[in-house]
Amino acid sequence: MLAIVVPCYNEEGSVEELIRELAEIKEDGGLEFDLIFVNDGSTDSTREIIEKYMEEHGWIRHIRHDFNMGLAKSLKDGISFALENGYDYILQMDSDLTHPPSLIPEMVGEIEGDEGYGGYDMVIASRYVRGGGMKDVPVWRVYLSRVGNIFFRMLLGIETSDATSGYRLSRRQVFEKISLESDSFQIQLELTVKSEMYGFRIKEIPFILKSREKGESKFRLRILLNYIPLTLKLFRYRFVKNRF
Ligand SMILES: Nc1nc2c(ncn2[C@@H]2O[C@H](COP(=O)(O)OP(=O)(O)O)[C@@H](O)[C@H]2O)c(=O)[nH]1
Ligand SMILES: [Mg+2]
């Protein structure tokens, strides 16, 4: 069974539409999943919207933080919940409608492979494989992400071209094995590098990241500073100690 983990912080402009689009996939495609919101102390009406839809849809769960604890802590709580409750696959996606839900069936298909097994351990929706990209995203973010990913790939010797994508599907075994230390957006890079080091099989499929239309991005330039100690640590793990 699939768990879709969606961290959200003040996303009243998007969560309703996201729930609708996911409900459509469930109804049209017959894909089985539960949706797990990790609502991180939102001060707008995100909570009320989620609670309203929970009355209608038994497949929505709501993990609530009383105050804002950050994206990484929220993701980790959502993932722990999924592990504790026996889900086989864990999909992470943003709540701001920049990650098209229509891609989910394909991601599940890739991870399962033919006849239900033999697929991959992780499927990353990637901006940097053929057919992928970004649409209407501010130019500085496009360059930052592109240059950052090329840099991480070269320095850390990884194969994944979009190591920072927040739209990905993993087998539960990945999270049973890997412990994540990051406390902010850099958690995706940590997850990619550690997954490669453990030998998990990763598949990237193209996706176009759309620009956010509602609400505000919580990304701040100072978050970039977090990548420095993480990159150094991952470099050491990979090339000096050769283990975690
Ligand atoms: N739970 C939680 N989610 C967050 C936090 N910051 C951002 N998010 C969510 O993470 C996703 C990506 O954040 P966003 O602000 O869109 O960053 P960007 O896509 O890099 O510009 C969105 O779904 C946000 O609601 C946070 O502090 N806590
Ligand atoms: Mg966003």
Side-chain angles (χ1 to χ4, degrees):
M1 175 76 154
L2 168 67
I4 301 183
V5 173
V6 181
C8 53
Y9 180 46
N10 291 347
E11 298 288 2
E12 63 182 7
S14 314
V15 284
E16 186 162 8
E17 175 63 18
L18 179 68
I19 294 170
R20 274 210 219 107
E21 289 185 20
L22 287 169
E24 255 175 47
I25 290 190
K26 208 180 227 320
E27 283 149 21
D28 294 354
L31 185 68
E32 272 296 308
F33 61 83
D34 285 342
L35 172 60
I36 299 160
F37 281 110
V38 191
N39 180 6
D40 200 18
S42 293
T43 51
D44 65 359
S45 60
T46 301
R47 170 180 169 181
E48 286 74 18
I49 296 170
I50 295 172
E51 285 173 350
K52 181 182 127 197
Y53 278 91
M54 282 176 78
E55 288 173 18
E56 197 179 318
H57 300 309
W59 42 272
I60 302 180
R61 308 272 178 279
H62 193 188
I63 302 173
R64 273 174 31 214
H65 294 161
D66 290 334
F67 54 91
N68 186 257
M69 300 172 89
L71 176 58
K73 173 78 174 105
S74 302
L75 272 174
K76 285 190 257 188
D77 283 358
I79 290 164
S80 301
F81 177 91
L83 292 179
E84 281 158 21
N85 288 281
Y87 293 91
D88 307 300
Y89 303 127
I90 300 168
L91 183 119
Q92 310 161 50
M93 72 188 298
D94 290 357
S95 56
D96 59 356
L97 302 172
T98 57
H99 293 165
S102 53
L103 214 61
I104 297 173
E106 186 186 342
M107 293 169 85
V108 172
E110 287 287 354
I111 213 164
E112 285 181 339
D114 295 336
E115 284 139 31
Y117 198 67
Y120 295 89
D121 300 303
M122 184 182 284
V123 179
I124 299 179
S126 170
R127 292 161 288 181
Y128 307 125
V129 292
R130 188 186 294 270
M134 287 184 249
K135 192 164 177 284
D136 301 329
V137 174
V139 170
W140 68 275
R141 290 284 313 255
V142 173
Y143 279 99
L144 194 62
S145 167
R146 191 74 197 103
V147 170
N149 270 293
I150 291 171
F151 174 78
F152 296 136
R153 205 173 170 183
M154 282 169 34
L155 190 78
L156 299 171
I158 51 173
E159 285 175 14
T160 306
S161 58
D162 194 347
T164 56
S165 174
Y167 194 10
R168 59 177 78 203
L169 172 64
S170 311
R171 286 182 188 272
R172 63 177 287 125
Q173 286 80 358
V174 171
F175 296 109
E176 284 170 343
K177 192 102 190 189
I178 289 177
S179 68
L180 296 165
E181 300 158 33
S182 298
D183 62 1
S184 188
F185 283 60
Q186 73 276 16
I187 192 168
Q188 307 297 354
L189 175 67
E190 183 186 10
L191 177 57
T192 304
V193 176
K194 289 185 172 176
S195 299
E196 282 202 24
M197 282 186 69
Y198 272 115
F200 288 117
R201 294 159 303 166
I202 299 175
K203 164 86 175 181
E204 289 184 274
I205 63 167
F207 107 104
I208 311 264
L209 178 83
K210 287 193 292 183
S211 81
R212 172 197 268 280
E213 284 172 7
K214 306 267 173 60
E216 267 172 38
S217 171
K218 284 88 198 176
F219 179 81
R220 296 288 174 271
L221 268 179
R222 70 179 133 73
I223 291 175
L224 289 179
L225 293 176
N226 298 330
Y227 284 88
I228 299 169
L230 174 67
T231 306
L232 293 172
K233 207 184 238 176
L234 292 172
F235 185 88
R236 272 190 66 226
Y237 287 150
R238 195 153 168 85
F239 298 112
V240 184
K241 297 206 304 196
N242 216 2
R243 62 180 172 81
F244 296 118

